[in-house]
C-alpha cells in the first residue's frame, strides 16, 4: 500500500455513513490532533462507548519505528483518558517497514493504534486466543501505555518484523507477539475484542452489504465522537 491509495493519507467519505447521520466532515475531521498525529473514529467500532484510531500524518507502517513521536502520542492518550473517563486499551498490528509479503494482521498498511475503553481484561483475552493459535507472546509490566517506550517492541521493529502489541493501562500490562513472517490471522484483536465488548462476532465485510451493520456502526461512531471530542 502506497500513500496514493492509502485511506489514511487520502480520506474518502462513505455514503452509508451520511445516510445514518455521520456527515463527511465528521467522518474525516480529526477528533484530536497534534503536529504529526491525529485521532479519528474507527469505521466499525467494537465498543458501544468509543473506538478511535491514532494515526500519523506521514505514511509509515509501525509506531515502534518512530520513538520521536512519544511526547505527542503520550499527550493524546492522556487527553483521551481524561475526556472518556476510562483507562485505555491500546492495540497495534504493526507491519514490517519493508516486506515483500503483505501482513494479513494489518488491514491498512499505515500505522494506527486502536484505542478502546479499559473495561475488559484484554491481555488475558487476546493471550488466550494467541495460545490457542499456537502463537508465542510475552507479557510485561509497563507503566506507560505508549508503545514507543517499550524496549522489546522497539527491538522487534529494529529487526524489521511485524508484531501485535496490546496494552491495558488499568492493569499496567503489555502483551507483545512478534510476527516474523507476517502470518497472523486477519483482524485477530478486533474480532475477539468485539466478542468481549459486545458479545457478538464482527464481520467487517458486512459494512459493504448489510444495512443493519451500517446503521449500528454509524450509531457507535457518533457515540465515539461525542465521547472523545473536547467538551
Amino acid at each position: 500500500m502506497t500513500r496514493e491509495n492509502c485511506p489514511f493519507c487520502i480520506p474518502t467519505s462513505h455514503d452509508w455513513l451520511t445516510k445514518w447521520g455521520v456527515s463527511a466532515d465528521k467522518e474525516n475531521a480529526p477528533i484530536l490532533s497534534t503536529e504529526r498525529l491525529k485521532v479519528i473514529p474507527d469505521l466499525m467500532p467494537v465498543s458501544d462507548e468509543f473506538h478511535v484510531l491514532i494515526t500519523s500524518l506521514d505514511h509509515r507502517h509501525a509506531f515502534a519505528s518512530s520513538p520521536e513521536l512519544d511526547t505527542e502520542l503520550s499527550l493524546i492518550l492522556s487527553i483521551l483518558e481524561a475526556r472518556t473517563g476510562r483507562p485505555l486499551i491500546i492495540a497495534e498490528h504493526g507491519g514490517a517497514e519493508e516486506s515483500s509479503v503483505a501482513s494479513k494482521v494489518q488491514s491498512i498498511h499505515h500505522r494506527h493504534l486502536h484505542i478502546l475503553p479499559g473495561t475488559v481484561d484484554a491481555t488475558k483475552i487476546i493471550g488466550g486466543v494467541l495460545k490457542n493459535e499456537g502463537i508465542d507472546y510475552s507479557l510485561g509490566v509497563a507503566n506507560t501505555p505508549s508503545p514507543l517506550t517499550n524496549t522489546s517492541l522497539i527491538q522487534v521493529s529494529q529487526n524489521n518484523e511485524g508484531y501485535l502489541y496490546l496494552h491495558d493501562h488499568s492493569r499496567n500490562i503489555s502483551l507483545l507477539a512478534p510476527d516474523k513472517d507476517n502470518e497472523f490471522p486477519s483482524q485477530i484483536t478486533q474480532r475477539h475484542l468485539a466478542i468481549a465488548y459486545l458479545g457478538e462476532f464482527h464481520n467487517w465485510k458486512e459494512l459493504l452489504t448489510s444495512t443493519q451493520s451500517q446503521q449500528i456502526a454509524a450509531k457507535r461512531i457518533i457515540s465515539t465522537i461525542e465521547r472523545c471530542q473536547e467538551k
Side-chain angles (χ1 to χ4, degrees), residues 9-161:
C9 294
I10 305 176
T12 58
S13 58
H14 297 80
D15 291 341
W16 62 266
L17 276 176
T18 303
K19 176 182 177 181
W20 297 111
V22 182
S23 59
D25 59 331
K26 285 186 178 180
E27 179 185 353
N28 293 317
I31 297 171
L32 174 64
S33 62
T34 60
E35 181 181 354
R36 294 171 290 186
L37 301 174
K38 64 180 179 179
V39 179
I40 57 176
D42 190 275
L43 194 60
M44 193 170 186
V46 300
S47 166
D48 284 328
E49 288 191 52
F50 61 89
H51 181 177
V52 296
L53 306 176
I54 301 176
T55 185
S56 61
L57 299 183
D58 63 336
H59 188 75
R60 296 285 297 277
H61 288 178
F63 268 101
S65 63
S66 300
E68 71 276 5
L69 295 176
D70 183 57
T71 299
E72 290 179 51
L73 180 57
S74 296
L75 174 63
I76 286 177
L77 293 173
S78 65
I79 291 173
L80 288 175
E81 283 203 334
R83 289 182 181 178
T84 63
R86 294 287 197 192
L88 302 177
I89 300 295
I90 297 98
E92 183 186 14
H93 303 150
E97 287 292 331
E98 298 177 4
S99 176
S100 60
V101 182
S103 171
K104 293 187 295 182
V105 75
Q106 191 181 22
S107 56
I108 297 177
H109 296 267
H110 180 132
R111 57 184 168 197
H112 57 285
L113 295 174
H114 292 261
I115 310 298
L116 290 151
T119 54
V120 301
D121 194 343
T123 53
K124 181 178 180 180
I125 293 167
I126 300 304
V129 171
L130 295 177
K131 183 177 180 180
N132 290 337
E133 293 279 350
I135 296 173
D136 292 331
Y137 67 92
S138 60
L139 294 174
V141 176
N143 294 322
T144 171
S146 171
L148 304 184
T149 58
N150 186 305
T151 54
S152 297
L153 180 56
I154 292 171
Q155 182 61 53
V156 169
S157 177
Q158 289 174 343
N159 292 339
N160 199 33
E161 299 173 4

